[in-house]
Amino acid sequence: MAKRPEWLDNAVFYEIYPQSFRDTDGDGIGNIAGITEKLPYIRDLGCTALWLNPCFDSPFGDAGYDVSDYCKVAPRYGTNEDLEELFREAHKLDMHVILDLVPGHTSWDHPWFKESMKAERNEFTDRYVWTDSVWEEPTGYGSLRGISPRNGSCAVNFFSHQPALNYGFYKPSRPWQQAMDSEGPMATRKAMMDVMRFWLSRGCDGFRVDMAGSLVKNDEDCKGTISLWQDVRKFLDAEFPEAAMVSEWGEPDKSLQGGFHMDFLLHFGPSHYNDLMRCDHPFFAGDGDASAFVAKYLENYEKSQRKGLICIPSGNHDMDRLARNIKGDRRKLVFAFLLSMPGAPYIYYGDEIGMNYVEGLTSVEGGYERTGSRSPMQWDDSRNAGFSTADAAKLYIPQDPSPDRPTAAAEAADPDSLLNEVKKLIRIRQDHRALQSLGEIQFLCDGAPGKPLAYIRSEADEKILVVVNPTEAAYELPAEYTPEETIYSFGKGLDGHRVQGVSAVFLKIR
Ligand code: GLC
């Protein structure tokens, strides 16, 4: 298990989609200076770290997940100096900033790919996964064909404009498939470590790694990809032991073995994460079932030896806003859960004020139905909700048009708002070690239909019993637990030994 930077033990992350957070130069798209300007808001919320979606040079066919220069901030967001300034200002507030590393593919505009398409051999010929004839496609992957003088088809990793970088094949079975340790794949690996070194030496605190499990091809159990990340871990331990690493993998047992500190439970893969907030009958709407999620969570928790951090996000730029399915005060129950679970919680910008999924938007920069979760942050009631002074027609994505859209300013002024509840919950988490990343968890009730989630979080002598009950039925605490003190209560809360319906309580127990 990887050695962890100490700050992760009590970290609460805030994910920022830079396009839509705050625009300080009035061009209708967010920028880095806007993030720096809003650091006090994020700090005041209680978050201690930021994850920024890709902010590097790109033709933006996939919102920046199609990088054309890993070491240059996209001009629309500012300069490298602006990003370094953000690192410095965040550090002054005792916050950390992680960037998005996209190691699986580049844009087809990347100079490496342009070189790789040439018929003559050069330094970048083996940088991508090519077959040796345009008539042969890389089975199992989409491909780019007939676009280059080079006689081959190139595998793609996601959209068609994202050619797959070559980290080799776990078990090569065709002449063009290279072994993981051959020269081309090793050069790609080194190039990616150089990118990491570039930003880490300029003040960045780590990376969220895009599609981290996708690197080595024909690697069914991910054994090759795990060993590749173990190699990266050695590099980080030697040069940047303080760097924090979180993977978009969705299989913590694998990624944590690879040396990541944290892995996300996500809307894809076998996590049952969607059962909680994003399905026809989500658990938090009161008539769902969280038991398959709990079973899977515990399986991962045991497999990762209870040591790595399994991170449950409120949402992200790829999935529906939680507010789409969970209404009103039930959103507070979601946060009572997210902020009392082990691992580091991740809050997607705007979820803390209950921002809506904006229905019916046309796709922007490869967003498709994800675009509705990427609309600009709603700060206040000024022009464009305080996001930008540009003409509304120039905004990167239109603002939520609902007349009752929430804003951060209005919620800050309302003691009963979701924003103030989230703030309170973060403060309580930060005051109690048992509730933080590493406290143990033991489930008492698994959220089967009609039942709440109930669990004990513990660390050294501290024990906290958490009940999050979105159902209408009351829950009787097991007789052996006598609450000593209520440290958090929402809804009707505790009545004697019963937690009422649509309530959440955190109770100190012995
Ligand atoms: C990840 C990103 C997503 C992107 C894809 C391709 O899943 O979160 O936004 O489109 O990878 O890079």
Side-chain angles (χ1 to χ4, degrees):
M1 205 64 63
K3 208 174 157 289
R4 225 182 340 254
E6 230 175 73
W7 61 268
L8 285 185
D9 293 359
N10 189 19
V12 180
F13 280 82
Y14 192 83
E15 178 193 344
I16 294 182
Y17 186 72
Q19 288 86 325
S20 293
F21 197 56
R22 165 81 179 122
D23 165 23
T24 57
D25 56 11
D27 62 356
I29 189 155
N31 54 10
I32 306 277
I35 300 172
T36 308
E37 181 191 291
K38 294 295 186 184
L39 280 176
Y41 166 83
I42 304 163
R43 191 68 188 100
D44 184 54
L45 179 62
C47 291
T48 56
L50 308 183
W51 153 30
L52 264 50
N53 291 113
C55 53
F56 314 109
D57 224 0
S58 162
F60 291 98
D62 182 11
Y65 283 97
D66 47 334
V67 178
S68 57
D69 186 343
Y70 286 101
C71 297
K72 183 177 171 225
V73 166
R76 70 188 196 176
Y77 299 134
T79 60
N80 284 15
E81 176 47 38
D82 291 340
L83 188 54
E84 289 178 36
E85 170 78 4
L86 171 63
F87 298 149
R88 283 193 295 273
E89 290 304 309
H91 294 161
K92 280 188 202 157
L93 294 172
D94 206 16
M95 296 171 81
H96 294 87
V97 183
I98 65 171
L99 297 176
D100 214 313
L101 181 74
V102 189
H105 47 270
T106 65
S107 155
W108 58 14
D109 280 0
H110 197 294
W112 295 345
F113 190 61
K114 291 189 178 149
E115 287 300 306
S116 201
M117 284 197 292
K118 291 184 176 162
E120 311 76 45
R121 250 199 102 69
N122 63 54
E123 192 189 339
F124 301 100
T125 298
D126 295 331
R127 180 64 38 108
Y128 296 83
V129 179
W130 287 91
T131 66
D132 53 14
S133 155
V134 73
W135 311 117
E136 177 167 356
E137 290 195 75
T139 317
Y141 304 90
S143 72
L144 286 163
R145 306 167 64 213
I147 59 160
S148 67
R150 176 174 181 165
N151 184 13
S153 307
C154 183
V156 299
N157 221 33
F158 197 71
F159 287 142
S160 313
H161 52 74
Q162 290 162 319
L165 284 161
N166 181 20
Y167 295 92
F169 284 70
Y170 188 55
K171 284 193 184 133
S173 61
R174 301 281 302 142
W176 50 267
Q177 297 182 349
Q178 300 177 343
M180 285 177 63
D181 58 359
S182 52
E183 203 182 325
M186 289 308 281
T188 311
R189 192 186 291 198
K190 182 181 169 300
M192 214 36 73
M193 294 200 242
D194 287 344
V195 170
M196 296 172 80
R197 186 182 287 113
F198 181 89
W199 289 113
L200 291 170
S201 61
R202 282 165 178 74
C204 152
D205 297 298
F207 297 97
R208 174 269 189 187
V209 179
D210 188 68
M211 296 177 65
S214 75
L215 303 194
V216 176
K217 303 304 182 204
N218 286 9
D219 184 22
E220 215 179 305
D221 300 325
C222 296
K223 289 201 179 112
T225 302
I226 291 171
S227 84
L228 184 155
W229 284 114
Q230 286 169 342
D231 191 30
V232 175
R233 166 65 28 223
K234 279 190 210 137
F235 145 70
L236 289 172
D237 282 348
E239 295 187 33
F240 301 99
E242 285 301 305
M245 295 291 286
V246 56
S247 48
E248 184 199 37
W249 196 320
E251 291 178 90
D253 55 316
K254 292 182 178 149
S255 66
L256 300 174
Q257 215 184 311
F260 281 93
H261 302 111
M262 312 174 258
D263 189 30
F264 287 117
L265 294 186
L266 288 167
H267 54 301
F268 57 77
S271 69
H272 284 273
Y273 168 79
N274 279 349
D275 300 358
L276 300 174
M277 305 166 241
R278 294 174 178 82
C279 62
D280 285 345
H281 295 281
F283 172 73
F284 284 104
D287 62 346
D289 181 356
S291 60
F293 165 81
V294 171
K296 207 68 206 171
Y297 183 90
L298 285 174
E299 187 188 317
N300 278 311
Y301 187 61
E302 293 306 331
K303 276 197 206 153
S304 58
Q305 299 161 37
R306 303 167 168 239
K307 292 204 182 82
L309 308 189
I310 300 174
C311 299
I312 315 177
S314 69
N316 74 19
H317 60 290
D318 290 332
M319 53 175 119
D320 283 1
R321 287 267 182 196
L322 80 89
R324 195 180 197 187
N325 281 307
I326 311 295
K327 302 295 175 195
D329 270 353
R330 286 179 183 276
R331 294 172 191 160
K332 295 180 181 169
L333 300 180
V334 173
F335 281 97
F337 160 74
L338 291 172
L339 291 164
S340 63
M341 284 294 283
Y346 278 69
I347 299 177
Y348 183 49
Y349 82 96
D351 278 353
E352 75 280 13
I353 58 168
M355 260 174 72
N356 289 315
Y357 177 87
V358 183
E359 307 286 343
L361 292 179
T362 303
S363 174
V364 176
E365 296 184 351
Y368 300 96
E369 71 277 8
R370 305 176 294 184
T371 306
S373 299
R374 299 175 175 186
S375 63
M377 177 68 179
Q378 293 146 206
W379 293 105
D380 55 37
D381 283 337
S382 64
R383 186 188 182 109
N384 298 318
F387 163 65
S388 168
T389 54
D391 276 353
K394 269 188 72 188
L395 296 191
Y396 167 81
I397 290 175
Q399 208 96 39
D400 177 2
S402 346
D404 60 347
R405 67 184 176 207
T407 66
E411 291 207 16
D414 171 5
D416 292 331
S417 67
L418 179 60
L419 177 68
N420 278 318
E421 202 70 20
V422 172
K423 242 191 219 183
K424 187 197 234 175
L425 282 160
I426 296 180
R427 208 178 323 116
I428 291 171
R429 181 181 177 97
Q430 288 172 341
D431 285 347
H432 295 90
R433 280 193 68 81
L435 292 175
Q436 296 167 15
S437 307
L438 298 173
E440 299 265 313
I441 186 165
Q442 179 201 340
F443 280 91
L444 302 178
C445 189
D446 67 357
K451 297 266 191 303
L453 282 171
Y455 39 90
I456 297 176
R457 299 291 319 278
S458 54
E459 160 95 27
D461 287 346
E462 189 176 49
K463 274 192 179 188
I464 297 173
L465 197 169
V466 174
V467 180
V468 183
N469 185 9
T471 77
E472 298 293 337
Y475 170 73
E476 188 79 28
L477 293 180
E480 63 266 40
Y481 302 114
T482 306
E484 289 192 330
E485 188 194 337
T486 300
I487 56 176
Y488 174 75
S489 176
F490 169 75
K492 287 196 201 127
L494 192 66
D495 179 10
H497 235 68
R498 292 158 75 84
V499 179
Q500 302 301 312
V502 199
S503 294
V505 292
F506 299 179
L507 308 165
K508 261 202 178 159
I509 56 172
R510 237 201 305 254

